[in-house]
Amino acid sequence: MKLALSTLAGAAALALGLTAGPANAENAGIIVYNAQHESLAKEWAKGFTKETGIKVTLRNGGDSDFSNQIVAEGAASPADVFLTENSPAMALVEAAGLFAPVDADTLAQVPQEYQPSSGKWVGVAARSTVFAYNKNKLKEDQLPKSLLDLADPSWKGRWAASPSGADFQAIVSALLELKGEAATADWLKAMKANSTAYKGNSTVMKAVNAGEIDGGVIFHYYYFGDQAKTGENSRNIGQHYFKNQDPGAFVSISGGGVLASSKHPKEAQAFLKWVTGKGGQEILKTGTSYEYAVGKGAESNPKLVPLADLQAPKVDPATLNSKKVIDLMTQAGLL
């Protein structure tokens, strides 16, 4: 039995571009700075280790904290791989020149629209912007047709967001890329006047569900995650997808990249290849994160609105500017 398992691990290692055999088992493993959902990253790490025998140590934190930490650590960073929930954190590390190019075989597993044009990192999952609304307070014909509509005075005191979170800041980064600095600054100024700030997307959803506020801008998976549990914080929630290439239809790409300073580059590249391949993407379909799978031919959880139906705007994730977004949000009084 041990021989059979060893043979399977060796085959998996070869498929991922690693050298099979006893030397592989002696690897110290890789360190992953993980800003993704802890439960999802644990499943990825467990699956990869099971197939290859390579140990994965996860250090969990947030998008912004880790990206700034990596930049501060520079070539001295102990991390081999960086995983995020949103693209701006990846773009920050890329701009600092700290990523190694992703192996071509890995990039080939993910459609072009789910990776940056630079090839310095790759999409591992995705999440969609939605307007979560209380079905007892709003009917479908009363919903905003565009994210930009929420700047109208008629929405004053009627919508919420979590401006301090990396999720919402990613949405603003897309708005900045699509509409420019002046339009984004104006929208943020109106947001300050019209919206209520909460700490965290789940808190926004709870407030909407309880009828404290009509609606909120969040990501799609909070609803599905709650529905899969008790549903008590989402029973009154409807999810409105803006579509039509609207800034509010932005699909945020969760990224993965290998640090140029990695002491185990082959193993790090193999981990990224596994996550974007069949094994890693299947976990997105069957797991509890309710994020979208992005690998070629990979299926997402059937409860989700198909990615192809979201009509998301085209945004090169490498261009998303987290620093400029923070500056603009600070100037608007949102941070």
Side-chain angles (χ1 to χ4, degrees):
M1 184 65 175
K2 287 183 178 178
L3 181 60
L5 290 173
S6 176
T7 302
L8 285 171
L14 285 171
L16 292 167
L18 297 167
T19 302
N24 198 47
E26 295 174 7
N27 286 324
I30 59 173
I31 294 174
V32 176
Y33 278 10
N34 174 53
Q36 247 295 345
H37 295 163
E38 288 186 31
S39 58
L40 174 59
K42 283 179 181 177
E43 287 299 311
W44 278 341
K46 181 180 176 182
F48 175 71
T49 299
K50 183 178 180 180
E51 284 197 18
T52 66
I54 298 169
K55 181 182 176 183
V56 178
T57 299
L58 296 174
R59 296 186 182 177
N60 298 304
D63 276 10
S64 299
D65 290 341
F66 266 145
S67 59
N68 285 302
Q69 181 177 330
I70 290 170
V71 171
E73 291 171 341
S77 179
D80 297 292
V81 175
F82 183 32
L83 295 178
T84 67
E85 289 192 336
N86 298 288
S87 303
M90 302 299 292
L92 182 68
V93 175
E94 178 184 348
L98 296 174
F99 280 135
V102 176
D103 284 353
D105 287 351
T106 301
L107 293 175
Q109 295 185 144
V110 178
Q112 204 67 46
E113 60 263 39
Y114 304 126
Q115 55 179 281
S117 56
S118 63
K120 290 291 188 178
W121 53 275
V122 67
V124 296
R127 58 270 301 281
S128 174
T129 310
V130 296
F131 185 72
Y133 65 97
N134 187 301
K135 293 182 290 187
N136 297 321
K137 301 189 76 172
L138 289 174
K139 303 305 179 187
E140 287 191 16
D141 61 358
Q142 298 174 307
L143 296 171
K145 290 182 172 58
S146 168
L147 179 73
L148 302 179
D149 292 347
L150 295 173
D152 191 89
S154 64
W155 282 98
K156 185 176 178 63
R158 299 176 58 206
W159 71 281
S162 177
S164 63
D167 287 357
F168 188 78
Q169 290 170 18
I171 296 168
V172 178
S173 71
L175 177 62
L176 175 62
E177 178 63 19
L178 292 164
K179 298 297 182 181
E181 184 173 337
T184 301
D186 288 345
W187 189 83
L188 290 172
K189 182 179 178 181
M191 176 184 171
K192 176 64 177 176
N194 288 355
S195 70
T196 301
Y198 288 88
K199 181 78 171 176
N201 283 344
S202 58
T203 309
V204 171
M205 186 177 72
K206 288 177 184 178
V208 174
N209 184 68
E212 293 176 19
I213 198 142
D214 291 4
V217 177
I218 62 174
F219 281 147
H220 76 279
Y221 61 84
Y222 290 91
Y223 169 83
F224 291 102
D226 188 71
Q227 285 285 298
K229 296 174 184 176
T230 64
E232 62 184 318
N233 295 311
S234 58
R235 62 169 58 98
N236 298 320
I237 295 288
Q239 297 224 95
H240 173 51
Y241 295 82
F242 288 101
K243 300 187 177 182
N244 301 309
Q245 289 75 49
D246 189 79
F250 170 62
V251 170
S252 184
I253 308 303
S254 300
V258 173
L259 276 296
S261 56
S262 170
K263 295 178 177 63
H264 307 284
K266 287 186 179 180
E267 292 79 8
Q269 292 282 359
F271 177 72
L272 211 53
K273 185 176 182 180
W274 190 90
V275 168
T276 56
K278 183 178 179 181
Q281 296 296 290
E282 182 70 17
I283 288 171
L284 287 165
K285 178 184 176 182
T286 61
T288 58
S289 74
Y290 292 97
E291 294 186 70
Y292 285 99
V294 295
K296 288 181 179 177
E299 295 181 356
S300 299
N301 189 296
K303 293 181 180 178
L304 306 183
V305 176
L307 264 176
D309 294 348
L310 297 178
Q311 299 173 21
K314 291 184 178 180
V315 178
D316 181 352
T319 64
L320 300 181
N321 190 330
S322 56
K323 185 180 184 304
K324 189 63 180 179
V325 164
I326 290 171
D327 289 345
L328 288 172
M329 293 182 72
T330 300
Q331 290 167 19
L334 291 163
L335 296 175

